[in-house]
Amino acid sequence: MSEVNRGSRIGGWTRFVTARPRLSLLVALVITALAVFAGSGVGDRMGSGGWEDPAASSTYATKALEREFPASQPNLLLLVDAGGKGVDDPAVAAEARRLTERLAAEDGVVGVGSYWQTRAPALRAEDGGEALIAARIVGTEKEAGETLERIAPEFRGTQGSLDVSVGGPVAVRHEMQAIIQEDLLRAELIALPVTLVLLVMVFGSAIAALLPLGIGIVAILGTNAVLRGITEITDVSVFAQNLTTALGLGLAVDYALFIVRRFREELAEGVEVRDAVGTTLRTAGRTVLFSALTVAVSLAAMMVFPQYFLRSFAYAGIAVVLLAAAAALILLPAALMLLGHRVNSLDLRRLFGKGRKKSIPGDGTADGTADGTADGTSGGWGRTAALVMRRAPLFAVATATGLVLLGLPFLGVKFGTADDRQLPSSAEARVVQEDIRSGFPGSPGGGLEVFGEGGATAAEYADYRDRVAALPDVMRVDGPVVSGDHAYFTVLPRGEAVDQDTQRLVRELRAEPAAFDTSITGTAAVLVDSKDAIGDRLPLAAGIIVVVTLLLVFLLTGSVLIPIQAVALNALSLTAMFGAVVWVFQDGHLSGFLGFTPTGDIETTLPVLMFCVAFGLSMDYGVFLISRIKEEYDRSGDHERSVIFGLQRTGGLITAAAVILAVVMVAIGTSRVTNTMMLGLGIALAVVMDAMVVRSLLVPAVMKLTGRATWWAPGPLRRFHDRFGVSEGGSHPAAVAVGTDSAGGSDGAVSGAGERDKVGV
């Protein structure tokens, strides 16, 4: 691109951003301060559930039972230890009854019952040393959590001659929420300084290294304020905060690396600061915009699912992606305008005895070319690309085969639901559940409730009970408990709470005829409905991601084949993550080293979440690489040289960004909650595999095999791209020549792409 073009095509957006940089930064500072205030306490307003389908039969039954028979759905359990006397000791029984009466008198607590009142065998430990007081805390998740916080200190610990521990689903959720917030703070304290050190190593300049962190902090604080507002309208999962931190830092680093690197490259070529900002926004800025759109679309696809756990990640993800991109495209150029050449200041490498170098990330030389060459296609990444393309069939087959093999364990995936074993083994709520699981009769947490309505005779209820009890997977049926036209039965399965036999039993119960209307709930029923809801909507979510990704990449490249390659290779890059999730977290390999308890299954919604997040991040890196290849192809018309050039100029950049994002995700993965650990470590693996294997080996090999056909598009699509498409770079005579230089006739996919800037930035 000529100096004239650099200076003359800055465009309206650049003039807007650079006209008053100090004012832009001041406004951003004020907005960020307001976001800190608006987003304060957002974690306390979030829930820790959201795995159920609100429209499912099991959800209806749960709410109906809570309304008509609150004692049937206890969510608070007090585990009473008799201290060696036995729960049937008269003094112990008297103290326990007083404790039960105190709990029943608490506001917000209903359906209180205990072993000493009902003598139910399921409420007494098999060794007679412990027994349970069961109750239900009513209200929303937030209201139930507040009630638990108020009453738990009054009942926990020594109560006369008894020792009491607090457990049950409401305690599990509350403790999980508290642990996640503590772990998130620790992850931020780990990730921020490590990220800063890595950025200094990449940029060499402390000033340049601070810019991505500033963008990330703005995105995180802004997203917290957005989520705080959303909690006023609907439920939001506390797990979404982890995604906010990870993507806020990770994408801010990605976008800032790309923009600052291009800005420094322009400065190294002697361009004036304002013109360098203009060129950066026309090129890297457009890539950042497209990258943000692809990531946002991948995350927005989770909106089609009914579970608020998944929808929460869409809320957080869309907000943090758009805020990170906005900060990178508005605040960062303003900062670069003010800094100018001082962006290279404070070279901390001098502390380690290394002289100051005017390096550009990914190039390694002062002049911005690779290893000082004029064409920028040699150097480490250039040589790697050239080697891969010389042996393209070998690298393509070997890499694809290796990725497929790494994903094979996912064929044995078993889906389950989250329970207390997500918590660390020392957590009080988990200790209570473990004691119940191992020491009490029946299948605690695994019972199924059948809610009946419409009225029936005693004989009809008895007939239904007998037929259900005769089912092969049923151990015992209790009930019915009747109130007016409503009744409920408790069905205890022979199997575990959510194993395949119990899930099959749910479907058998729903198919069992009755003289009254029935609906089934319980852990296995919620799981069955959740799997059905995800299965029904998964094709729609996948279709949204694929179609929009194909369209966006086509608008960027004008090629038919590149969008298809991008989708296929991105999906292939995720195989290692899914294989590792099953091998490690389901099957339990490395569980001792990582410090979690394997349950033999994977929570149903997590693979969907991990796919959407990891696919979006893979597209992020893919857009960075493809856009630079396209820019060079528009300039030179040389396909193979363009691939080598693109990898040379972005390989180090993508690798640095991936390593930094992986560090952030690993910090998230240090969580004591298993699902958060799985999310963080799984996505870290996917990011590293994508950047270091797919982008470095598979992409250049496949593009070599497809050759000049890579850039082909039929006539109607070429004309569509000419009118609506986006290209990096300015005009160049070679760009026009490319249109008639393909082996198969008129290439046309990029004809005239360099003649004008189709979308002004």
Side-chain angles (χ1 to χ4, degrees), residues 50-52 307 309-310 413-419 422 527 530 534 581 586 599 601-609 675 678:
W51 291 281
E52 69 279 355
Q307 295 92 336
F309 174 81
L310 288 175
V413 66
K414 298 176 182 176
F415 294 110
T417 188
D419 60 21
Q422 293 283 312
L527 174 59
S530 180
I534 290 175
V581 161
Q586 175 180 294
T599 59
D601 52 48
I602 300 297
E603 206 286 316
T604 312
T605 57
L606 272 179
V608 176
L609 167 63
N675 276 354
M678 185 190 311

Side-chain angles (χ1 to χ4, degrees), residues 568-644:
L569 298 185
N570 281 4
L572 191 60
S573 72
L574 307 185
T575 54
M577 175 185 73
F578 285 121
V581 161
V582 170
W583 191 77
V584 175
F585 290 95
Q586 175 180 294
D587 299 340
H589 299 97
L590 303 180
S591 59
F593 173 74
L594 295 175
F596 69 91
T597 301
T599 59
D601 52 48
I602 300 297
E603 206 286 316
T604 312
T605 57
L606 272 179
V608 176
L609 167 63
M610 296 175 74
F611 173 83
C612 292
V613 174
F615 187 90
L617 293 174
S618 296
M619 280 304 306
D620 188 40
Y621 300 135
V623 167
F624 286 171
L625 175 58
I626 291 170
S627 64
R628 204 62 195 266
I629 294 173
K630 174 67 164 58
E631 179 184 355
E632 178 61 18
Y633 187 67
D634 284 354
R635 191 189 71 82
S636 69
D638 187 328
H639 171 69
E640 186 167 335
R641 180 189 182 281
S642 299
V643 175
I644 296 174

Side-chain angles (χ1 to χ4, degrees), residues 739-758:
T740 56
D741 194 30
S742 67
S746 177
D747 182 66
V750 294
S751 177
E755 294 181 88
R756 65 187 182 277
D757 289 321
K758 301 184 183 70

Side-chain angles (χ1 to χ4, degrees), residues 17-64:
V17 170
T18 59
R20 294 180 176 82
R22 288 183 176 84
L23 178 62
S24 298
L25 293 177
L26 178 61
V27 171
L29 182 62
V30 172
I31 293 175
T32 303
L34 293 175
V36 172
F37 174 76
S40 61
V42 62
D44 296 332
R45 300 183 60 83
M46 292 179 164
S48 54
W51 291 281
E52 69 279 355
D53 176 4
S57 171
S58 57
T59 305
Y60 170 79
T62 298
K63 292 180 178 179

Side-chain angles (χ1 to χ4, degrees), residues 226-492:
V226 171
L227 292 179
R228 176 65 174 78
I230 293 175
T231 60
E232 298 289 343
I233 304 171
T234 187
D235 293 321
V236 179
S237 172
V238 70
F239 287 93
Q241 280 192 297
N242 295 291
L243 186 69
T244 298
T245 296
L247 288 186
L249 281 178
L251 292 177
V253 166
D254 288 356
Y255 300 157
L257 273 175
F258 205 61
I259 288 176
V260 174
R261 185 251 187 229
R262 188 59 183 257
F263 176 73
R264 296 175 80 189
E265 180 182 327
E266 295 296 318
L267 291 182
E269 293 179 359
V271 180
E272 293 296 325
V273 171
R274 184 178 296 274
D275 294 342
V277 171
T279 300
T280 298
L281 286 177
R282 273 201 316 275
T283 56
R286 289 172 175 171
T287 302
V288 165
L289 180 60
F290 264 67
S291 172
L293 290 175
T294 57
V295 177
V297 166
S298 294
L299 297 171
M302 288 185 285
M303 291 287 290
V304 306
F305 298 102
Q307 295 92 336
Y308 86 72
F309 174 81
L310 288 175
R311 297 171 70 90
S312 298
F313 285 93
Y315 306 146
I318 294 171
V320 76
V321 169
L322 296 183
L323 286 171
L329 294 175
I330 299 173
L331 303 184
L332 188 54
L336 294 176
M337 277 291 298
L338 295 176
L339 288 171
H341 289 275
R342 287 172 294 180
V343 73
N344 297 315
S345 301
L346 295 181
D347 188 351
L348 298 184
R349 293 174 301 181
R350 292 177 177 179
L351 299 176
F352 303 97
K354 297 181 180 180
R356 189 177 187 274
K357 299 179 181 179
K358 293 170 66 179
S359 64
I360 298 171
D363 294 336
T365 61
D367 64 355
T369 61
D371 288 352
T373 62
D375 64 2
T377 57
S378 64
W381 289 103
R383 287 192 294 270
T384 298
L387 172 63
V388 170
M389 296 180 79
R390 283 197 300 271
R391 302 285 188 270
L394 174 63
F395 277 98
V397 172
T399 305
T401 302
L403 291 172
V404 170
L405 290 175
L406 289 174
L408 287 179
F410 193 72
L411 296 177
V413 66
K414 298 176 182 176
F415 294 110
T417 188
D419 60 21
D420 59 280
R421 289 170 290 181
Q422 293 283 312
L423 295 171
S425 57
S426 59
E428 180 187 27
R430 175 173 174 177
V431 170
V432 171
Q433 296 303 122
E434 292 280 13
D435 281 355
I436 295 172
R437 188 179 291 112
S438 61
F440 284 70
S443 179
L448 300 171
E449 282 77 40
V450 180
F451 176 69
E453 54 187 334
T457 64
E460 288 171 331
Y461 284 136
D463 176 66
Y464 178 80
R465 181 191 60 207
D466 293 342
R467 283 187 285 109
V468 169
L471 295 174
D473 294 316
V474 173
M475 181 174 66
R476 189 177 79 242
V477 179
D478 295 331
V481 177
V482 181
S483 176
D485 290 339
H486 304 97
Y488 82 90
F489 303 80
T490 300
V491 181
L492 295 179

